[in-house]
Amino acid sequence: MTIEDIEASKAPLMDHLIELRSRLIKALLAFGIAFIFCFFFAKQIYNVLVWPFVWVAGPENSKFIYTALLEYFLTQLKLAMFGAAFISFPIVAGQIYMFVAPGLYKHERGAFLPYLVATPFFFLLGSLLVYFVVLPMLVRFSLGMQQTGSDETAQIQLLPKVGEYLSLMMSLIFAFGIAFQLPVILTLLGRIGIVTSKMLREKRRYFIVIAFVIAAVLTPPDVISQASLAIPLLALYEGSIVAVRMVEKRAAAAQASTTPPPASPPPETNPAE
């Protein structure tokens, strides 16, 4: 590489760095605005997150406590960061895409965009499953273990702490949201040819074990949470096989339409002529 080549490459590199800085500033600004908004309405957002507990236990039996002076304040900060990540994700993902898109071909941009849309969709799907199904099941199971006091036994009552409840909610949402990216990942791998639908069908029995291992690692150590994640993972795996098969058919049809037909052989000549 000559000195002229190095000098010629400086301007594009600086342009890329300036573009990257601009995208990062916009993404951080979106996160910061969302954080301020969520912190301002932290109590209202927390009441929304507590709804599964109130729905199962009833308003008269719903009581949350905090035992440290700043515990509820720190919980609101964590909640604001959690909500800001949710709200600002479309803007952050859009900034990442706009930074990467100029370096992609047109067909590559068209292939990348659906996965950018599918990622938050499946994350939201996993979060809704936690909110409406998994957490109410956990609350109902936990409330069923309470003990009524008597002359010979002590009363054992569930009094959740605000910080621990939010940590449980966040860990479950992140676990299910990340695990629900399985169709996106497998379809993307199938599109670039790393996995095939036949391979996924053959490895199905291994994935059954892997699904329960993933559920054991990502969820709290209780059977309800682990089964609630492992069973949807198995359903998503079956759906991924169908999606990869559709990608393969589409790729085969596109290849067949672009492949020129074989040239016809030249006509045979009669030696007698």
Side-chain angles (χ1 to χ4, degrees), residues 143-177:
L143 290 174
M145 299 182 67
Q146 295 183 119
Q147 177 176 292
T148 305
S150 64
D151 294 337
E152 299 180 355
T153 59
Q155 181 182 5
I156 301 177
Q157 185 179 4
L158 175 63
L159 294 175
K161 296 179 63 177
V162 292
E164 293 178 355
Y165 181 85
L166 180 62
S167 298
L168 175 63
M169 173 74 80
M170 290 171 57
S171 62
L172 285 175
I173 287 179
F174 277 121
F176 277 73

Side-chain angles (χ1 to χ4, degrees), residues 212-235:
F212 281 92
V213 172
I214 293 174
V217 172
L218 294 180
T219 59
D222 62 273
V223 178
I224 297 178
S225 300
Q226 295 174 4
S228 300
L229 179 56
I231 294 174
L233 275 179
L234 297 177

Side-chain angles (χ1 to χ4, degrees), residues 111-257:
F112 181 73
L113 190 57
Y115 297 100
L116 189 63
V117 176
T119 298
F121 171 77
F122 280 98
F123 195 97
L124 180 61
L125 188 64
S127 303
L128 293 176
L129 182 64
V130 171
Y131 189 79
F132 290 104
V133 179
V134 178
L135 201 59
M137 290 173 56
L138 282 175
V139 173
R140 189 173 289 109
F141 176 77
S142 301
L143 290 174
M145 299 182 67
Q146 295 183 119
Q147 177 176 292
T148 305
S150 64
D151 294 337
E152 299 180 355
T153 59
Q155 181 182 5
I156 301 177
Q157 185 179 4
L158 175 63
L159 294 175
K161 296 179 63 177
V162 292
E164 293 178 355
Y165 181 85
L166 180 62
S167 298
L168 175 63
M169 173 74 80
M170 290 171 57
S171 62
L172 285 175
I173 287 179
F174 277 121
F176 277 73
I178 293 173
F180 270 53
Q181 302 304 314
L182 180 68
V184 180
I185 297 173
L186 291 181
T187 307
L188 181 60
L189 293 177
R191 190 182 185 92
I192 61 181
I194 296 180
V195 300
T196 61
S197 58
K198 180 181 178 181
M199 181 190 305
L200 295 177
R201 286 194 299 269
E202 293 174 349
K203 304 299 182 182
R204 181 185 285 116
R205 60 182 181 274
Y206 300 111
F207 183 78
I208 295 175
V209 179
I210 294 173
F212 281 92
V213 172
I214 293 174
V217 172
L218 294 180
T219 59
D222 62 273
V223 178
I224 297 178
S225 300
Q226 295 174 4
S228 300
L229 179 56
I231 294 174
L233 275 179
L234 297 177
L236 290 172
Y237 186 81
E238 296 298 327
S240 301
I241 296 177
V242 177
V244 172
R245 181 57 183 163
M246 293 174 59
V247 169
E248 292 173 345
K249 289 182 178 180
R250 194 178 297 113
Q255 184 177 3
S257 63

